[in-house]
Amino acid sequence: QVQLVESGGGSVQAGGSLRLSCVVVGRTYYSGCLGWFRQAPGKDREGVARIRTFGQTTFYADSVEGRFSIPRYGPRNSVSLQMNSLKPEDTAIYYCAAGDHGGMWGDCDFNSWGQGTQVTVSS
């Protein structure tokens, strides 16, 4: 497991944009999967997006496809999430995650989590 530190988040009106960032502490390169999950009040945590650091392939949940993106070819010890065209239903706590290849979501097995950052989208 690794330590993850997130930044970004905040409040925005519907249709706006936000960017989240996450760094793997103490590493210049992380080999595996980095991604983002979210949890809205009263709901289970769900996968949002992920990138494999080797190969830079990305995977997105259907609910954010075309609106959210993980910039590719950035530092291999960090992951960002660019969120555009935000909707009120995107309101949640967003968690950075790290893990290995081969798992239930996006073919990754996530085992490390950040502290979470709040994203609030008002209508």
Side-chain angles (χ1 to χ4, degrees):
Q1 294 187 338
V2 295
Q3 182 180 357
L4 303 169
V5 177
E6 302 149 341
S7 60
S11 298
V12 66
Q13 290 189 327
S17 298
L18 286 173
R19 186 181 180 102
L20 306 179
S21 297
C22 173
V23 174
V24 182
V25 176
R27 301 279 191 97
T28 56
Y29 181 89
Y30 182 79
S31 178
C33 299
L34 294 173
W36 294 92
F37 286 68
R38 68 185 182 185
Q39 187 167 19
K43 295 188 176 181
D44 293 334
R45 187 176 298 187
E46 62 175 358
V48 175
R50 70 95 174 118
I51 187 167
R52 289 186 171 183
T53 57
F54 182 79
Q56 294 288 286
T57 57
T58 53
F59 178 84
Y60 298 95
D62 290 345
S63 59
V64 305
E65 182 81 51
R67 300 188 297 121
F68 291 10
S69 65
I70 292 180
R72 299 169 64 190
Y73 306 114
R76 300 300 174 94
N77 67 336
S78 65
V79 60
S80 296
L81 183 67
Q82 179 64 43
M83 304 184 291
N84 298 328
S85 303
L86 282 160
K87 304 176 181 180
E89 51 264 44
D90 294 318
T91 295
I93 298 175
Y94 283 69
Y95 297 89
C96 179
D100 302 313
H101 297 168
M104 294 296 292
W105 194 82
D107 197 26
C108 288
D109 180 20
F110 291 97
N111 51 37
S112 298
W113 303 89
Q115 78 280 4
T117 185
Q118 178 71 46
V119 171
T120 302
V121 185
S122 57
S123 57

